[in-house]
Amino acid sequence: MNTGAPSEVELYRAERRVLEIQTKLHLWSGEDVTRRFYDLFNLVADPAFLLVAWERVKSNTGSRSAGVDGMSVTAARARAGGELAFLNDIREALRQQTFRPLPVRERLIPKPGSAKKRRLGIPTVTDRVVQASLKLVLEPIFEAEFMPSSYGFRPRRRAQDAIAEIVYYNTGNRQYRWVLDADIEACFDEIDHTALIGLVRRRIADKRVLALVKTFLKAGILSELGQLRGTNTGTPQGGILSPLLANIALSVLDEHIDKAWKPQVERAKRKRHGLANYKIVRYADDFVVMVDGQRHHVEQLREEISDVLAGIGLRLSAEKTSIVHIDEGFDFLGFRIQRRRKRGTGQRHVYTIPSRAAQQRARNRIKELTSRIKHPSFSVLLLRLNRFLRGWSAYFKYGVSSQVFESIRSYAWQRIAIWFRRELRMRWTAIRKRYMTGWEFRAPGGLTLFRPQVAGVRYRYRGTLIPAPWTPTPA
């Protein structure tokens, strides 16, 4: 038993204290968008913030991964004195200003549907805890000024919200028909540090916090070949703080587009003068800009966006950036979004279905689960397949996906049949007699293959109604 582990009461009190302070920071930041915050470093080193940060690091999916020091979360918990002693050592290093982050451990993973690889940076457990504590302090401040049309890596926001906004602004009298479907080239690798720190400095005046952010940016990378290289640009994917820093950097893009998003009377005035109205929907570094205008307005806007991104060291991907009409359709966040004529009527509606690439990735995963991974029994195979199908269908269930769902399930059924013939070397008649009821595969205990179902209703566009975790609830 680890006697140095925090008790439930200690954790509860820490979470309450952190939430109370975060709520105040969020409120103050929202009340005055020009306000700069001082003396935040003491919060980063506060025992309550470090304890909550530690709990989040422990619960992360990658908690078992070790950094360059070889220490995992399990090893940190097993240290002499336990978890509280480990956190106290971090606190003292921060207070004495002797804390220095170590380089991140590089790991290259293949990108879906591409021969290219994505570079992940795995910080040490100690660095993860400090980053998590720093995020607890900074996130409520910057969330108060982020635009509502930004969805990626933000609390209580999801990809379905972004898709719903695109549909909303192409429904009824809202005619944002032309779309700049954009992608930023190597966003996390190329963000300019000077520009990023300048944006952080707009709200943060505590020099120790600014210095801490900068040390994480400059920590360096230890490659898979054991070579250490410096980081003059970018913020490593895999770091707890990196998504927040990327959103801070890309907020300049949101703000630039939002300038054309005026009250309705101003939008009508722009239309009368032959100008276009723009609406951006961004999910991390993947975004679309919808334009109520003509194609040449989008072309002009693309040049403006390129100039804005150049100011923070970024550029649009020539391969993945295109101008399309909503009737042509485009892929975004795994969905195919396209306006079509409703069958049997003269009306046109915007439909969302899983993109072909998303469908192929699903089939690849099903094939992997039924071929490369050894299963101790048919029940385990069905459990793993069902877990994947439930998650996949939960993401896409609000689209017009019934035919796609049935196609994916049919493919899973076929792969199960192939698994039986290959792994158990059974004849078809024996398979049907032992493992099927009618044409339904059934494991001992009654478990069957999951059947995905569409929601039957559209995902509701929530717009500015999405509350932050620190928004006080009405009494």
Side-chain angles (χ1 to χ4, degrees), residues 160-223:
Q160 287 78 5
D161 288 307
I163 301 300
E165 182 166 359
I166 294 172
V167 174
Y168 178 80
Y169 281 100
N170 280 283
T171 303
N173 294 327
R174 297 172 289 273
Q175 301 182 14
Y176 288 76
R177 305 298 192 218
W178 285 98
V179 177
L180 176 65
D181 180 14
D183 185 85
I184 300 173
E185 185 75 33
C187 175
F188 283 84
D189 296 332
E190 296 187 6
I191 294 176
D192 183 78
H193 288 173
T194 302
L196 176 57
I197 292 297
L199 292 169
V200 175
R201 190 178 284 114
R202 291 194 306 184
R203 304 308 303 272
I204 308 301
D206 191 325
K207 293 182 179 180
R208 292 174 297 175
V209 170
L210 293 171
L212 190 58
V213 172
K214 191 171 183 177
T215 58
F216 278 119
L217 293 175
K218 300 293 186 182
I221 298 174
L222 185 66
S223 72

Side-chain angles (χ1 to χ4, degrees), residues 13 30 169 174 224 254 270 274 282 324 382 414-415:
R13 289 174 177 171
Y169 281 100
R174 297 172 289 273
E224 292 183 334
D254 302 335
R270 288 176 60 86
R282 184 173 64 81
V324 297
L382 268 186
Q414 296 172 29
R415 291 299 307 178

